[in-house]
Amino acid sequence: MDCLFCKIIAGEIPGTKVYEDEDVYAFRDINPIAPVHVLIVPKKHISGASEINSDNSAVVAKIFEAAAKIARAEGYPDSFRIVTNCGEDAGQTVHHLHFHLLAGVKMGWSANTGI
Ligand code: 5GP
Ligand code: ZN
């Protein structure tokens, strides 16, 4: 499958791995918008949050467990943001489910909707 994040998980494209377990992979965003900007993804391809269902949703819990571990390891155990963009209007650019873990800066609250 021609998927950038599947290729990073497979080691076919370089990525800066910060965490891996049986089901979850995490690596640094190539274009960070915060001092800590890690992408946490299921190893098994899911195209986005709209494709989460009762057969594959267990990995989402694993991803949030991984997020808490990574935030601790990065030095921000109790102050971080997790975001997932789904679909065109939300600005999803890579169609492999991913959660942005952001930390290390005081964040405002705006979805940049222009409203
Ligand atoms: P989205 O816009 O789909 O929510 O997020 C995709 C993210 O993937 C962006 O923050 C972008 O910087 C990141 N990204 C795109 N291509 C690569 C890449 O080749 N390597 C890494 N590590 N991140 C990437
Ligand atoms: Zn994929």
Side-chain angles (χ1 to χ4, degrees):
M1 192 192 299
D2 195 23
C3 169
L4 178 64
F5 289 174
C6 281
K7 287 179 181 164
I8 289 175
I9 294 162
E12 291 165 16
I13 290 176
T16 311
K17 181 173 80 171
V18 298
Y19 176 86
E20 180 176 13
D21 65 32
E22 204 184 335
D23 305 302
V24 175
Y25 196 89
F27 52 99
R28 295 197 193 281
D29 196 292
I30 204 168
N31 186 22
I33 61 164
V36 175
H37 188 170
V38 172
L39 300 173
I40 313 175
V41 309
K43 284 187 171 174
K44 188 165 165 278
H45 183 90
I46 299 170
S47 62
S50 59
E51 297 301 314
I52 296 169
N53 57 47
S54 56
D55 292 331
N56 63 20
S57 64
V59 76
V60 178
K62 299 261 180 85
I63 284 170
F64 274 71
E65 283 183 44
K69 281 185 198 160
I70 296 163
R72 269 199 295 279
E74 295 286 327
Y76 300 97
D78 51 19
S79 193
F80 53 84
R81 178 174 292 171
I82 297 171
V83 180
T84 190
N85 298 320
C86 180
E88 199 183 336
D89 281 357
Q92 184 180 5
T93 58
V94 179
H95 293 273
H96 181 127
L97 178 64
H98 53 281
F99 292 81
H100 298 257
L101 173 65
L102 305 168
V105 67
K106 182 95 177 155
M107 290 173 249
W109 181 240
S110 165
N112 285 323
T113 60
I115 296 174

Coordinates of all heavy atoms in Angstrom, one line a residue, residues 3 6 45 96, ligand 2:
C3 N 1.4 4.1 1.4 CA 1.1 5.0 2.6 C 2.4 5.4 3.3 O 3.2 4.5 3.7 CB 0.2 4.2 3.6 SG 0.0 5.0 5.1
C6 N 2.8 3.9 6.8 CA 3.1 2.5 6.8 C 4.6 2.3 6.4 O 5.3 1.4 7.0 CB 2.2 1.8 5.8 SG 0.6 1.4 6.4
H45 N -2.8 -0.4 9.4 CA -3.3 0.8 8.7 C -4.8 1.0 8.9 O -5.6 0.1 8.7 CB -3.1 0.6 7.2 CG -3.5 1.8 6.4 ND1 -2.7 2.9 6.1 CD2 -4.7 2.1 5.9 CE1 -3.4 3.8 5.4 NE2 -4.6 3.4 5.3
H96 N -3.3 7.9 7.2 CA -3.1 6.8 8.2 C -3.4 7.4 9.5 O -2.7 8.4 9.9 CB -1.6 6.3 8.0 CG -1.3 5.2 8.9 ND1 -0.7 4.0 8.4 CD2 -1.3 5.0 10.2 CE1 -0.5 3.2 9.4 NE2 -0.8 3.8 10.5
Ligands
ZN2 ZN -0.7 3.3 6.5

